[in-house]
Each structure stands twice: as structure tokens, then as C-alpha cells.
Amino acid sequence: MSEAHLEGLTLVQKRLVKAYATTVMSEVRTVDEVKPEELQPYVVLEIAEREIATLVNE
């Protein structure tokens, strides 16, 4: 899976985005609960990337 949607983020921010995406997809938290708020759009993109990858691999 490409990380082009995470371009410009630091390594720590990328890891946070991936961790938050996992917890949002597991319904542990919502995107609105993601802090710092600047990462919220990246979390949405990460979730979309994962869903697309799943559809392509089916």
C-alpha cells in the first residue's frame, strides 16, 4: 500500500495516523476524537486507502 497520502508527515505522525485509523476502524474511537486535530484528514485518508486495498485484493 502506498503512503503517498501521508507525504509531508514526520515518522511519528505517520505512526499516529496509522494507529488512530486502526482504532477508528475498530470503533474504539471516532475521527473527531483524534488529537492533534491536524491529523484527522490524514486518518480519513488512511482508512480510505485501507478500504480500497481490501476491495482491490478481493
Side-chain angles (χ1 to χ4, degrees), residues 3 9 32 40 56:
E3 289 192 0
L9 296 179
D32 292 331
Q40 290 177 354
V56 169

Side-chain angles (χ1 to χ4, degrees), residues 7-27:
E7 190 172 306
L9 296 179
T10 67
L11 181 60
V12 172
Q13 288 173 319
K14 288 178 183 180
R15 289 183 179 175
L16 275 172
V17 166
K18 290 175 182 255
Y20 277 134
T22 299
T23 60
V24 170
M25 292 177 78
S26 301
E27 299 180 358

Side-chain angles (χ1 to χ4, degrees), residues 5-53:
H5 61 287
L6 302 177
E7 190 172 306
L9 296 179
T10 67
L11 181 60
V12 172
Q13 288 173 319
K14 288 178 183 180
R15 289 183 179 175
L16 275 172
V17 166
K18 290 175 182 255
Y20 277 134
T22 299
T23 60
V24 170
M25 292 177 78
S26 301
E27 299 180 358
V28 173
R29 72 176 79 239
T30 65
V31 174
D32 292 331
E33 296 172 325
V34 171
K35 302 293 182 205
E37 292 178 1
E38 302 85 50
L39 295 181
Q40 290 177 354
Y42 293 102
V43 172
V44 172
L45 288 172
E46 176 68 18
I47 292 168
E49 282 282 329
R50 291 183 187 186
E51 290 176 345
I52 290 169

